[in-house]
Structures are given as structure tokens and as C-alpha cells.
Amino acid sequence: MNFRVNKSILKNKTILITGGTGSFGKKFVEIVLKKFNPKKIIIYSRDELKQYEMSNTFLKFEKQLRFFIGDIRDLERLNFAMKGVDILIHAAALKQVPTAEYNPFEVVKTNVMGTNNVISAAIKNNVKKAIALSTDKAAAPINLYGATK
């Protein structure tokens, strides 16, 4: 598949990515920094070690990156982090099926209530664009988190 991306979509924009230290977040940040020249990318996650490692990976771009320790369950922290954000990428979630099956209420608090917080903070802070990600597991939900193979 060959397609063109309008580079002005992300150029000089402030982008916040929840779950930004996860596999998607790391790759997204790498591509955006190299190809789209954003004003700032805010990495929002609760994993201090992964944030530290990620900051070392992208030392060349340190002026464009901000790292926020926070959990999407914390609406007040989300509101603070989203001030001045143009584009929101919501990738934070509990994604491991065995963990989800053993801890269903924690998954609901993060994946459902946390996502509600993300949406509320985006609305309150007038975020212009929001993109939410899911995983393939959510495509056939026969239990709390989808079918396991």
C-alpha cells in the first residue's frame, strides 16, 4: 500500500500520547520526530523507568519531548498535562488478556473509566483532534477483554 501523508497535520503541533512508553508510543514518537517536526510531544505514562529509557533513546530531540508521570485514572493530572495540546493519541490501556481476566475491575478502571477521563480532559482543554487506539483483542469481545486463542 502506498499513500501520502499530509505532513502539515503534525508540523508545529503539540501532541500528547497516553501510554506513550508502550510499543506503539515508542514507534509513533520515533516516526513523528523524524518526519513531521512537531512543536512538542508529551509522553504521558505511569512508568518512570520506561520514560527514562525513552528519554535516553531520543536525546537528540530532548527540546521537543516532555515526560509526564501520570495515570489515565487521574483526571486532575490529565487536565494539567493536556493544557495547550493540539492532538491527543490515546494508547494507554491494560492489554494482557491473562492479567485482564485475573484483574477485571482494574481493567475496567483503566480501560473504561480512564478512557472517560481522557475524553473529559480533551474536551475541557479544547484539544482539536483525538485518536483512540485499540487492539485486535477488542474486535471479538466474548469476555471482558476479547477472545483468547
Side-chain angles (χ1 to χ4, degrees):
M1 179 184 283
N2 190 5
F3 61 92
R4 292 179 188 224
V5 176
N6 181 350
K7 291 188 178 191
S8 68
I9 291 171
L10 301 175
K11 185 177 182 179
N12 205 33
K13 298 290 193 285
T14 296
I15 303 161
L16 182 141
I17 179 164
T18 66
T21 56
S23 56
F24 172 84
K26 287 188 278 189
K27 193 62 175 179
F28 175 83
V29 169
E30 176 187 340
I31 291 168
V32 170
L33 286 171
K34 288 180 181 176
K35 296 185 177 187
F36 294 95
N37 195 27
K39 179 178 181 180
K40 176 171 41 173
I41 300 177
I42 300 165
I43 311 301
Y44 186 93
S45 80
R46 59 186 183 181
D47 194 321
E48 176 190 15
L49 177 60
K50 285 184 182 176
Q51 285 192 6
Y52 172 76
E53 292 169 347
M54 196 170 172
S55 70
N56 286 331
T57 300
F58 296 111
L59 281 173
K60 177 176 157 183
F61 299 100
E62 67 183 332
K63 291 182 179 171
Q64 289 170 285
L65 292 177
R66 301 293 180 276
F67 291 89
F68 268 72
I69 296 290
D71 192 308
I72 62 171
R73 295 179 183 191
D74 184 344
L75 180 58
E76 186 177 341
R77 184 68 171 156
L78 278 168
N79 277 318
F80 183 74
M82 268 194 230
K83 290 185 187 324
V85 168
D86 300 303
I87 299 169
L88 162 69
I89 309 294
H90 176 43
L94 295 174
K95 298 176 176 89
Q96 300 300 316
V97 172
T99 301
E101 289 179 338
Y102 192 73
N103 302 280
F105 296 112
E106 296 307 306
V107 173
V108 169
K109 284 190 256 183
T110 297
N111 295 7
V112 178
M113 297 163 75
T115 296
N116 186 63
N117 287 341
V118 170
I119 294 165
S120 295
I123 291 168
K124 181 175 182 174
N125 288 282
N126 298 310
V127 173
K128 294 167 190 69
K129 294 195 184 293
I131 299 168
L133 304 181
S134 184
T135 67
D136 61 324
K137 295 173 196 74
I142 61 165
N143 59 32
L144 177 68
Y145 203 77
T148 57
K149 304 240 187 273

